[in-house]
Amino acid sequence: MAPDRDDDLEDLEDDYDDGDEAPQTEVTIEVTGLSLYTHHGVSAAEREVGQRLVLDLRLEVGECDATVTDMVEDTVDYASVCERVALVAQQRSYKTLERLCSAIADRLLADYRAMEVWVKATKPEPPIPLPVESVSVEVWRQAEE
């Protein structure tokens, strides 16, 4: 039979008896280089043909129980975050990266226990007539209290 989660927490509390408190740990989860094929852009051609977009994400989780319980259920599952971001980025087309990043940030704040989120979208091969390595947009949002 699997140990009860409450028993695990009680064992941890026993480690901090005599009035000692468990150390507080702030958690940040980062995803770098999530590469997706999307259909975002100002021109109709960009939206029709599509292009690769690279996303970087940061979620400020704050204190989370996983630092002591070692359980995925006690933190933000980054695999789930990637799936959710891919869904938002691929379910509809936006003209601007600003709007796309905002939609992703809003969805992450709504669906996960994060105090702040940061989303960066990069077009590695932007369709502009000058030699540019990439263009990117960053959006930062805080959860409403």
Side-chain angles (χ1 to χ4, degrees):
M1 182 161 124
D4 186 2
R5 195 168 151 215
D6 290 334
D7 291 341
D8 291 341
L9 290 175
E10 286 175 16
D11 290 343
L12 290 170
E13 288 171 3
D14 290 342
D15 291 341
Y16 297 100
D17 54 6
D18 299 329
D20 292 340
E21 291 186 23
Q24 292 187 350
T25 305
E26 298 289 317
V27 173
T28 300
I29 295 172
E30 291 189 43
V31 175
T32 305
L34 176 60
S35 182
L36 302 171
Y37 195 82
T38 65
H39 296 269
H40 305 289
V42 174
S43 73
E46 279 185 287
R47 291 189 308 276
E48 186 177 320
V49 174
Q51 63 195 296
R52 187 170 66 95
L53 196 65
V54 178
L55 295 154
D56 298 322
L57 316 162
R58 185 168 56 238
L59 293 87
E60 297 293 339
V61 179
E63 293 181 40
C64 78
D65 292 340
T67 60
V68 289
T69 66
D70 197 27
M71 297 178 70
V72 173
E73 300 83 28
D74 291 334
T75 189
V76 174
D77 180 352
Y78 50 80
S80 172
V81 166
C82 290
E83 290 169 4
R84 194 70 42 94
V85 168
L87 177 68
V88 173
Q90 294 174 326
Q91 72 183 0
R92 68 168 286 190
S93 178
Y94 295 104
K95 290 182 181 175
T96 66
L97 293 179
E98 289 84 349
R99 181 66 194 113
L100 171 64
C101 289
S102 294
I104 292 170
D106 289 343
R107 184 67 176 265
L108 293 176
L109 285 172
D111 293 355
Y112 298 97
R113 295 178 310 224
M115 300 179 309
E116 300 174 5
V117 297
W118 171 83
V119 179
K120 178 179 178 183
T122 301
K123 285 186 179 182
E125 297 98 23
I128 59 177
L130 295 168
V132 174
E133 186 175 306
S134 67
V135 296
S136 62
V137 169
E138 298 177 22
V139 168
W140 171 81
R141 292 263 171 90
Q142 274 185 305
E144 295 183 17
E145 294 182 27

